[in-house]
């Protein structure tokens, strides 16, 4: 596997060794994670916006079980708070059927059934979602060790380039920008052209399993929101809006050990 890695600051022997160790572990992780067929993930996102005298703080926390053995199956429980107030929980089952994902969502005791493209679920696939980080991380270095879910890990920090992020976001974010801000395809692509680097930290076990990822997306989201509002003609809001925080954390366990599960009968009965 070819890894796009730019190593900087190698003026001393220790720095060179550090970069070499980090590169070797990233290569090992790329090989290991490519074979993962199931995993459990704890996902957390904190997002804050300020505009003039108003502010909004949102937190999303999810637990996810993902299996990809002769077809994809997934279970997710998600909770969200806005300004400290709970917005309730959503429980979702999904399974692959005829090259689509059939989803069954429970919100407030009512089950609903829907269909979604397979590509929408690649973000939950540990093997697929890791590629963008492991193949495009640059300026990387080791930052010590830490136990994650009782597993010893090495912490590696680095950045993803704007080009790498633009490629990763090409479909999902473009669609979101067009819908949320009523942008044309051309204007939405122009928004992503302004993306800078994204700071990333990975906690990698000796066997190559990535146990945790942290991303500070504050600067990137500030750029996206400002450019999108400007492209939509709302230059006033673009000048006063501030993304106060935008962080994402993903912690993994149960690699290739997620137990199969049955979708409840009441979910399958949803119209």
């Amino acid at each position: 596997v070819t890894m796009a890695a730019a190593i900087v600051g190698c003026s001393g022997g220790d720095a060179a060794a550090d970069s070499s160790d980090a590169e070797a572990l990233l290569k090992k992780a790329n090989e290991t994670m490519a074979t993962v067929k199931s995993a459990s993930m704890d996902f957390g996102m904190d997002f804050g916006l300020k505009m003039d005298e108003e502010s909004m703080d949102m937190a999303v926390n999810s637990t996810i079980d993902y299996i990809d053995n002769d077809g994809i199956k997934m279970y997710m429980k998600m909770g969200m708070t806005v300004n400290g107030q709970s917005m309730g929980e959503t429980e979702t089952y999904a399974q692959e059927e005829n090259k689509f994902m059939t989803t069954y969502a429970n919100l407030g005791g009512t089950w609903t059934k829907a269909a979604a493209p397979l590509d929408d679920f690649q973000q939950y696939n540990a093997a697929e979602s890791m590629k963008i980080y492991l193949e495009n991380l640059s300026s990387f270095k080791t930052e010590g060790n830490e136990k994650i879910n009782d597993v010893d890990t090495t912490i590696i920090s680095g950045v993803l380039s704007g080009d790498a992020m633009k490629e990763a976001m090409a479909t999902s974010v473009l669609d979101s920008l067009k819908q949320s801000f009523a942008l044309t395809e051309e204007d939405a692509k122009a928004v992503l052209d302004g993306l800078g680097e994204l700071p990333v930290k990975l906690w990698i076990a000796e066997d190559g399993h990535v146990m945790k990822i942290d991303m500070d997306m504050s600067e990137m989201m500030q750029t996206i929101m400002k450019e999108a509002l400007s492209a939509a003609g709302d230059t006033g809001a673009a000048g006063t809006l501030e993304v106060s925080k935008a962080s994402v954390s993903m912690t993994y366990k149960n690699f290739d050990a997620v137990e199969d599960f049955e979708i409840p009968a009441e979910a399958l009965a949803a119209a």
Side-chain angles (χ1 to χ4, degrees):
V1 179
T2 302
M3 188 179 305
I7 304 174
V8 296
C10 299
S11 56
D14 290 343
D18 177 79
S19 293
S20 178
D21 290 346
E23 184 173 19
L25 190 53
L26 286 169
K27 181 179 180 180
K28 176 66 174 177
N30 210 357
E31 296 169 350
T32 298
M33 295 303 295
T35 68
V36 170
K37 292 296 184 181
S38 72
S40 300
M41 176 177 69
D42 292 325
F43 173 91
M45 181 184 72
D46 288 310
F47 185 70
L49 281 178
K50 293 181 180 179
M51 183 182 293
D52 298 327
E53 301 299 318
E54 297 184 2
S55 64
M56 182 199 73
D57 289 309
M58 181 178 70
V60 176
N61 291 284
S62 304
T63 58
I64 299 165
D65 286 335
Y66 186 98
I67 302 172
D68 188 3
N69 288 322
D70 298 322
I72 298 169
K73 290 181 71 176
M74 191 189 80
Y75 171 76
M76 176 171 63
K77 180 178 285 187
M78 182 182 73
M80 181 171 66
T81 62
V82 177
N83 293 334
Q85 182 177 354
S86 174
M87 298 290 105
E89 285 190 340
T90 303
E91 185 180 25
T92 302
Y93 289 88
Q95 64 181 357
E96 182 178 350
E97 294 179 344
N98 300 320
K99 298 183 179 180
F100 276 83
M101 292 296 289
T102 301
T103 64
Y104 304 88
N106 180 7
L107 179 59
T110 301
W111 288 95
T112 58
K113 179 182 178 181
L118 276 173
D119 287 348
D120 289 357
F121 287 78
Q122 291 306 310
Q123 60 183 311
Y124 307 113
N125 183 336
E128 290 296 322
S129 64
M130 289 297 166
K131 288 181 180 179
I132 182 67
Y133 310 108
L134 297 174
E135 295 183 0
N136 294 282
L137 196 72
S138 63
S139 301
F140 46 75
K141 60 182 180 180
T142 58
E143 289 196 1
N145 307 95
E146 186 178 354
K147 277 186 179 291
I148 302 294
N149 287 328
D150 294 325
V151 176
D152 291 323
T153 70
T154 297
I155 305 170
I156 296 179
S157 65
V159 296
L160 293 181
S161 70
D163 286 342
M165 290 308 302
K166 187 168 66 174
E167 180 180 348
M169 297 177 172
T171 301
S172 60
V173 175
L174 275 177
D175 289 342
S176 179
L177 286 171
K178 289 188 289 185
Q179 294 171 9
S180 300
F181 297 93
L183 300 182
T184 65
E185 180 90 9
E186 183 179 353
D187 285 341
K189 288 181 178 179
V191 169
L192 296 186
D193 285 339
L195 291 181
E197 294 178 335
L198 174 67
V200 177
K201 280 189 178 182
L202 302 103
W203 285 253
I204 305 177
E206 185 177 358
D207 64 4
H209 283 115
V210 178
M211 302 301 298
K212 183 180 178 180
I213 299 178
D214 275 359
M215 292 175 283
D216 181 358
M217 306 178 73
S218 304
E219 185 175 339
M220 184 187 74
M221 291 303 300
Q222 178 74 51
T223 298
I224 289 176
M225 297 293 288
K226 182 178 179 180
E227 295 298 325
L229 286 167
S230 295
D234 195 344
T235 55
T240 60
L241 183 141
E242 175 191 350
V243 177
S244 56
K245 59 182 176 180
S247 62
V248 170
S249 179
M250 296 175 284
T251 305
Y252 291 88
K253 60 184 178 182
N254 298 333
F255 288 109
D256 292 322
V258 177
E259 294 185 7
D260 197 4
F261 52 85
E262 296 296 326
I263 298 176
E266 58 268 32
L268 293 172

